[in-house]
Coordinates of all heavy atoms in Angstrom, one line a residue:
F1 N -44.5 9.6 0.2 CA -44.9 9.9 1.6 C -45.3 8.6 2.3 O -46.2 7.9 1.8 CB -46.0 10.9 1.7 CG -45.6 12.3 1.5 CD1 -45.6 12.9 0.2 CD2 -45.2 13.1 2.6 CE1 -45.3 14.2 0.1 CE2 -44.8 14.4 2.4 CZ -44.8 15.0 1.2
H2 N -44.7 8.3 3.5 CA -45.2 7.3 4.4 C -46.0 8.0 5.5 O -45.5 8.9 6.1 CB -44.0 6.5 5.0 CG -43.1 5.9 4.1 ND1 -43.1 4.5 3.8 CD2 -42.1 6.4 3.3 CE1 -42.2 4.2 2.9 NE2 -41.6 5.4 2.6
T3 N -47.2 7.5 5.7 CA -48.1 8.2 6.7 C -48.6 7.2 7.7 O -49.2 6.2 7.3 CB -49.2 8.9 6.0 OG1 -48.8 10.0 5.2 CG2 -50.2 9.6 7.1
Q4 N -48.5 7.5 9.0 CA -49.2 6.9 10.1 C -50.3 7.8 10.6 O -50.0 8.9 10.9 CB -48.2 6.6 11.3 CG -47.4 5.4 11.1 CD -46.5 5.2 12.4 OE1 -45.8 6.1 12.8 NE2 -46.7 4.1 13.1
G5 N -51.5 7.3 10.5 CA -52.6 8.0 11.1 C -53.0 7.5 12.5 O -53.3 6.3 12.6
L6 N -53.0 8.4 13.5 CA -53.2 8.0 14.9 C -54.5 8.5 15.4 O -54.9 9.7 15.0 CB -52.1 8.5 15.7 CG -50.6 8.3 15.3 CD1 -49.6 8.9 16.2 CD2 -50.4 6.8 15.2
T7 N -55.2 7.7 16.2 CA -56.4 8.2 16.9 C -56.1 8.9 18.2 O -54.9 9.0 18.5 CB -57.4 7.0 17.1 OG1 -56.6 5.9 17.7 CG2 -57.9 6.4 15.8
A8 N -57.1 9.3 18.9 CA -56.9 10.1 20.1 C -56.1 9.4 21.2 O -55.4 10.0 22.0 CB -58.2 10.6 20.6
D9 N -56.2 8.0 21.1 CA -55.5 7.2 22.1 C -54.1 6.9 21.7 O -53.4 6.1 22.3 CB -56.2 5.9 22.4 CG -56.5 5.1 21.1 OD1 -56.0 5.5 20.0 OD2 -57.2 4.1 21.2
E10 N -53.6 7.6 20.6 CA -52.2 7.5 20.1 C -52.0 6.1 19.5 O -50.8 5.7 19.3 CB -51.2 7.8 21.1 CG -51.1 9.3 21.5 CD -50.5 10.1 20.3 OE1 -49.4 10.0 20.0 OE2 -51.3 10.9 19.8
K11 N -53.0 5.4 19.1 CA -52.8 4.1 18.4 C -53.0 4.3 16.9 O -53.9 5.0 16.4 CB -53.9 3.1 18.9 CG -53.7 2.6 20.3 CD -54.7 1.6 20.7 CE -54.5 1.1 22.2 NZ -55.5 0.1 22.6
P12 N -52.1 3.7 16.1 CA -52.2 3.9 14.6 C -53.4 3.1 14.1 O -53.6 1.9 14.4 CB -50.9 3.3 14.1 CG -50.4 2.4 15.2 CD -50.9 2.9 16.5
I13 N -54.2 3.8 13.3 CA -55.4 3.2 12.6 C -55.2 3.1 11.1 O -55.8 2.4 10.4 CB -56.6 4.0 12.9 CG1 -57.9 3.3 12.4 CG2 -56.6 5.4 12.3 CD1 -58.2 2.0 13.1
E14 N -54.1 3.8 10.6 CA -53.9 3.8 9.1 C -52.4 3.9 8.9 O -51.7 4.6 9.6 CB -54.6 5.0 8.5 CG -54.2 5.4 7.1 CD -54.0 6.8 6.8 OE1 -53.9 7.7 7.8 OE2 -53.8 7.2 5.7
Y15 N -52.0 3.2 7.9 CA -50.6 3.3 7.3 C -50.8 3.4 5.8 O -51.4 2.6 5.2 CB -49.7 2.1 7.7 CG -48.3 2.2 7.1 CD1 -47.5 3.3 7.3 CD2 -47.9 1.2 6.2 CE1 -46.3 3.4 6.7 CE2 -46.6 1.2 5.7 CZ -45.8 2.3 5.9 OH -44.6 2.4 5.3
S16 N -50.3 4.5 5.3 CA -50.4 4.8 3.8 C -49.1 5.1 3.2 O -48.2 5.7 3.8 CB -51.4 5.9 3.6 OG -52.7 5.6 3.9
I17 N -48.9 4.7 1.9 CA -47.8 5.1 1.1 C -48.4 5.8 -0.1 O -49.1 5.2 -0.9 CB -47.0 3.9 0.7 CG1 -46.5 3.1 1.9 CG2 -45.8 4.3 -0.2 CD1 -46.0 1.7 1.5
A18 N -48.1 7.1 -0.2 CA -48.6 7.9 -1.3 C -47.5 8.4 -2.2 O -46.4 8.8 -1.8 CB -49.3 9.2 -0.7
E19 N -47.7 8.1 -3.5 CA -46.7 8.5 -4.5 C -47.3 9.6 -5.4 O -48.1 9.4 -6.2 CB -46.4 7.3 -5.4 CG -45.8 6.1 -4.6 CD -45.7 4.8 -5.4 OE1 -44.8 4.7 -6.2 OE2 -46.6 3.9 -5.2
Y20 N -46.7 10.8 -5.1 CA -47.2 12.0 -5.8 C -46.3 12.4 -7.0 O -45.1 12.3 -6.9 CB -47.2 13.2 -4.9 CG -48.3 13.3 -3.9 CD1 -48.3 12.6 -2.7 CD2 -49.4 14.1 -4.2 CE1 -49.3 12.7 -1.8 CE2 -50.5 14.2 -3.3 CZ -50.4 13.5 -2.1 OH -51.4 13.6 -1.2
R21 N -46.9 12.7 -8.1 CA -46.2 13.2 -9.3 C -45.3 14.4 -8.9 O -45.9 15.4 -8.3 CB -47.1 13.5 -10.4 CG -47.7 12.3 -11.1 CD -48.7 12.7 -12.2 NE -48.2 13.7 -13.2 CZ -48.8 14.0 -14.3 NH1 -50.0 13.4 -14.6 NH2 -48.3 14.8 -15.2
G22 N -44.1 14.4 -9.3 CA -43.2 15.5 -9.0 C -43.4 16.7 -9.9 O -43.1 17.9 -9.5
D23 N -44.0 16.5 -11.0 CA -44.1 17.6 -12.0 C -45.3 18.5 -11.8 O -45.4 19.6 -12.2 CB -44.2 17.1 -13.4 CG -45.4 16.1 -13.7 OD1 -45.9 15.5 -12.7 OD2 -45.8 16.0 -14.8
I24 N -46.3 18.0 -11.0 CA -47.5 18.9 -10.9 C -47.9 19.1 -9.4 O -49.0 19.7 -9.1 CB -48.8 18.3 -11.6 CG1 -49.1 16.9 -11.1 CG2 -48.5 18.2 -13.1 CD1 -50.4 16.3 -11.6
N25 N -47.1 18.6 -8.5 CA -47.4 18.8 -7.1 C -46.3 19.6 -6.4 O -45.1 19.4 -6.6 CB -47.6 17.5 -6.4 CG -48.8 16.7 -6.8 OD1 -49.9 17.1 -6.5 ND2 -48.6 15.6 -7.5
S26 N -46.7 20.5 -5.5 CA -45.8 21.1 -4.5 C -46.5 21.0 -3.2 O -47.7 20.8 -3.0 CB -45.5 22.6 -4.9 OG -46.7 23.3 -4.8
F27 N -45.7 21.2 -2.1 CA -46.2 21.0 -0.8 C -45.9 22.2 0.1 O -44.8 22.7 0.1 CB -45.5 19.7 -0.2 CG -45.9 18.5 -1.0 CD1 -45.1 18.1 -2.1 CD2 -47.0 17.7 -0.6 CE1 -45.4 17.0 -2.8 CE2 -47.3 16.6 -1.4 CZ -46.5 16.2 -2.5

């Protein structure tokens, strides 16, 4: 997952790359 976290002014404050195990996670 690539994630942009935006504040109320629509400016990005966070960019994350999350790697979840496929065998134990569902969404």
Side-chain angles (χ1 to χ4, degrees):
F1 280 93
H2 302 258
T3 298
Q4 278 181 303
L6 310 176
T7 50
D9 57 6
E10 287 292 292
K11 291 182 179 178
I13 187 64
E14 166 222 11
Y15 175 57
S16 291
I17 301 167
E19 300 170 76
Y20 281 85
R21 285 176 56 168
D23 60 333
I24 62 171
N25 290 290
S26 63
F27 297 88

